[in-house]
Amino acid sequence: KTTDAELDELVNHGLVSRVERDWLKNYEGQKHSVVLDWTLEIARVAVGSNQARPLFNIICDLRTHQTYIEDMLSMPVPFQYFHLMNLMMCLSFVGWAYGMAMYDSWIATFIFMASTVIFLGMRELSGCLSDPFGEDAVDFPISVWLLDTWRECDLFLEVECPEIWYDPRNFEDAPLLWQKRAAH
């Protein structure tokens, strides 16, 4: 499901190397899980297992939500239900057309037309909103959000604030809240 353009975008932003891109292109499984595993491994090596624990918890939550979304998207409305819904709408329109044609008022024609347009529009909108991660105009800009999140995380990891951090060898310099957590 991942296109070459999407993988090239990861390379252009420096998130993966060309070798990793080629490996991901040929990988048949869940590519996002592999990238998250790579992220955890880099964090574990960079900062150690204990300090990477909060990131591990966040990534586990992220994988849970991704799996939920993937499961929902892989189960579209069954073919029979879609046609049953269309049949019900057509029968409703026929009933409304007959019922409103029996009125001696011209306003019934406009009410019928408006209600028909509204119901057909709602059916079309529900079809568009059933997959919010595509390329439609109403879909979420996931690539933009991921790039913004990447930039924020990169800035967070690159910043140096020695006046905020404490020396781990001298635990008395740590904020009181951290000292209380370590005591438990």
Side-chain angles (χ1 to χ4, degrees):
K1 291 182 179 180
T2 306
T3 65
D4 288 342
E6 291 170 336
L7 291 171
D8 288 337
E9 188 174 333
L10 290 175
V11 172
N12 292 339
H13 292 299
L15 299 176
V16 296
S17 67
R18 291 247 178 239
V19 173
E20 292 168 338
R21 177 214 182 276
D22 293 339
W23 189 88
L24 283 171
K25 181 179 179 182
N26 296 324
Y27 184 68
E28 295 295 324
Q30 298 178 344
K31 293 174 177 61
H32 60 86
S33 294
V34 172
V35 174
L36 289 175
D37 287 341
W38 290 347
T39 304
L40 280 175
E41 183 61 23
I42 291 169
R44 187 188 63 77
V45 169
V47 298
S49 297
N50 290 338
Q51 293 172 335
R53 177 66 58 187
L55 180 63
F56 176 77
N57 293 337
I58 291 170
I59 288 182
C60 284
D61 289 342
L62 177 65
R63 286 181 76 175
T64 302
H65 294 300
Q66 283 179 336
T67 303
Y68 175 74
I69 291 170
E70 197 171 72
D71 290 345
M72 293 300 291
L73 291 178
S74 67
M75 295 187 316
V77 176
F79 188 69
Q80 297 86 355
Y81 291 157
F82 176 77
H83 287 291
L84 180 64
M85 180 195 67
N86 283 332
L87 177 66
M88 288 173 39
M89 283 181 55
C90 287
L91 291 176
S92 296
F93 292 154
V94 168
W96 287 354
Y98 179 77
M100 291 186 187
M102 293 295 119
Y103 284 108
D104 289 333
S105 174
W106 284 95
I107 194 78
T109 304
F110 296 112
I111 292 173
F112 174 73
M113 288 187 336
S115 61
T116 303
V117 168
I118 288 170
F119 274 94
L120 290 175
M122 286 174 49
R123 185 188 69 177
E124 185 66 27
L125 181 64
S126 68
C128 289
L129 294 179
S130 67
D131 182 14
F133 303 108
E135 298 297 323
D136 298 334
V138 296
D139 291 338
F140 297 128
I142 298 297
S143 59
V144 173
W145 290 352
L146 286 175
L147 182 59
D148 289 344
T149 303
W150 169 256
R151 287 181 182 147
E152 291 295 323
C153 289
D154 187 40
L155 288 172
F156 178 73
L157 291 173
E158 294 290 326
V159 71
E160 292 184 26
C161 299
E163 67 275 359
I164 295 175
W165 302 106
Y166 67 94
D167 184 2
R169 292 167 289 179
N170 185 7
F171 197 69
E172 288 77 30
D173 293 341
L176 187 58
L177 178 62
W178 293 352
Q179 291 177 14
K180 287 181 183 178
R181 285 186 186 166
H184 292 356

